[in-house]
Amino acid sequence: MTRVLECQGYAARIEFDAEDEVFVGHVLGIADRISFHSARAAELQAAFRAAVDHYLEDCRAIARAAAESGLQPGH
């Protein structure tokens, strides 16, 4: 299973890790590495939003510009 989620201009690919029985997401289109996970599909959007928010907060804290996604909305 693969699915794409979108949040604040970022997109993430979701995969299911059958061995660990967990959903894993990775933000696409940027050089920085942002990942998140959840054991429940219903919690993936919230985990994604939290990961993006944390990334943006970290960038602000160190006065570094956040990477912009090279992906077009809806892709």
Side-chain angles (χ1 to χ4, degrees), residues 10-52:
Y10 295 93
R13 181 185 68 240
I14 307 300
E15 297 175 335
F16 182 70
D17 181 330
E19 184 176 327
D20 292 333
E21 296 182 349
V22 67
F23 294 95
V24 180
H26 301 279
V27 174
L28 305 170
I30 64 172
D32 293 326
R33 184 177 180 143
I34 306 172
S35 60
F36 54 96
H37 67 278
S38 175
R40 298 183 49 182
E43 297 169 355
L44 281 169
Q45 188 69 40
F48 179 31
R49 270 189 250 116
V52 170

